[in-house]
Amino acid sequence: MSALSDETPAQTLIQDATSGVTADKNSAPGNESPFLQQSASLDPVTATQAWLNSVPQDKREKSDAYFEGGYWLLLWNYLVAAAISILLLFSRISARLRDFSQRLTKSKTLQVCCYVIPYVLLAFVLSFPLNLYEHFFREHEYGLATQNFPAWFREQLIGLGITLIGATFLFVVLYAIFRRAPKTWWIWGTAVAVACSFVLLFIAPVFIEPLFNTYKPLTKPEVSEPILVMARANEIPVKQVFEVDASRQTTRVSANVSGILGTTRIALNDNLLKQCTVPEIRAVMAHEMGHYVLNHGAKLLTYLGAFILIGFGLTRILFNAAVTRWGHRWGVRGIADPAGLPVLIWIFCTLLFLATPLLNTVVRITEREADAFGINTAREPDGMAEVALKLGAYRKLNPTPLEEFIFYDHPSGRARIRMAMDWKAAHLPAGESPKLESQPK
């Protein structure tokens, strides 16, 4: 639902704050340039506050409560993951699973498979109550979900199946490395993790997401043509725009430009079509094109590789210390023992939890770069501000600097609106430049 669906007195303030030059200023003697008048007439601070004030108080409080609840869920997800690892270790369930797999087969590879599959299933079952609350009941409570429980649970099972396949492959490869390079596994393991991240980052949007939603060509030329014009201008190799039926699951707006080596695809969800105007859609799609043109996928993969290398290096040290201290109690024999997987998961989850502000900052910086690219491509500052308010239905619009640093992986609504108003106050019209009186005649 649009955050601006109801007329408010503040909308008049928006118009006043962003309307450009007044008649009095235009007629004042001695003005040097109409363009400079227009740039000086808009106060970005006032305009940004006007946009923020246009959101009714009850909607602001609701979105703030939703987003701030996510702070606690971040903690609870970590605690649940840690508790599952502790349970499997101290109850020796993990050791029993290892022993069971060794009785089934002599193959080290198959032993890992026979351990990982029940491990993933146990983790799914034990974490399901929190998953159910976070992604079903809570989403419905805030009006962000549209699925009934059977449909939602069916998709959870599809996700579980994908996780089983992916996790089994990943850990088979990792444990082969553990056996062959027990001291340098953290270096080779980083290469494997980065390769798997590449698959998720570049291939999943094209080959996995269609398992959950239907993609079809967008049949509204008044929407698709402006998008394709921007794509051609930025040498994005696509000839059509796809629509995805995300309204089956959610009320959120979203879009993406994804794929490589001939699989590049521009897609926007049907909520974006239903809730946004063409200028707003242009603003969103130009932002997504920014990720593609600026090679954010490759850059994020590089940053992620650095984080994983550091994380694996610390994990190696902490794993050895933990096994030395408690290995006999857990029944864990070393890094190549599948029974030690909960230790690895526990340590790595802890490191990820502690690194949350840094990881969010890296992503937030790329998102801000895409915002800057998008506004210069679409040239829709008001459309960008409108979309920021729509995203504010489930993202706190005006956080404190500390909140934004720790919890935001995207710029806040306030930051995005301020960028749009700064651009609106200072931009040059396409193909033009101000003619100053001091220029030679």
Side-chain angles (χ1 to χ4, degrees), residues 109 112-114 116-117 120 163-173:
T109 298
V112 174
C113 294
C114 293
V116 169
I117 292 173
V120 171
T163 301
L164 282 170
I165 295 171
T168 301
F169 174 80
L170 172 63
F171 288 117
V172 162
V173 176

Side-chain angles (χ1 to χ4, degrees), residues 194-212:
V194 170
C196 290
S197 299
F198 173 85
V199 172
L200 290 176
L201 194 60
F202 290 102
I203 299 178
V206 178
F207 297 104
I208 295 180
E209 289 181 7
L211 297 176
F212 300 92

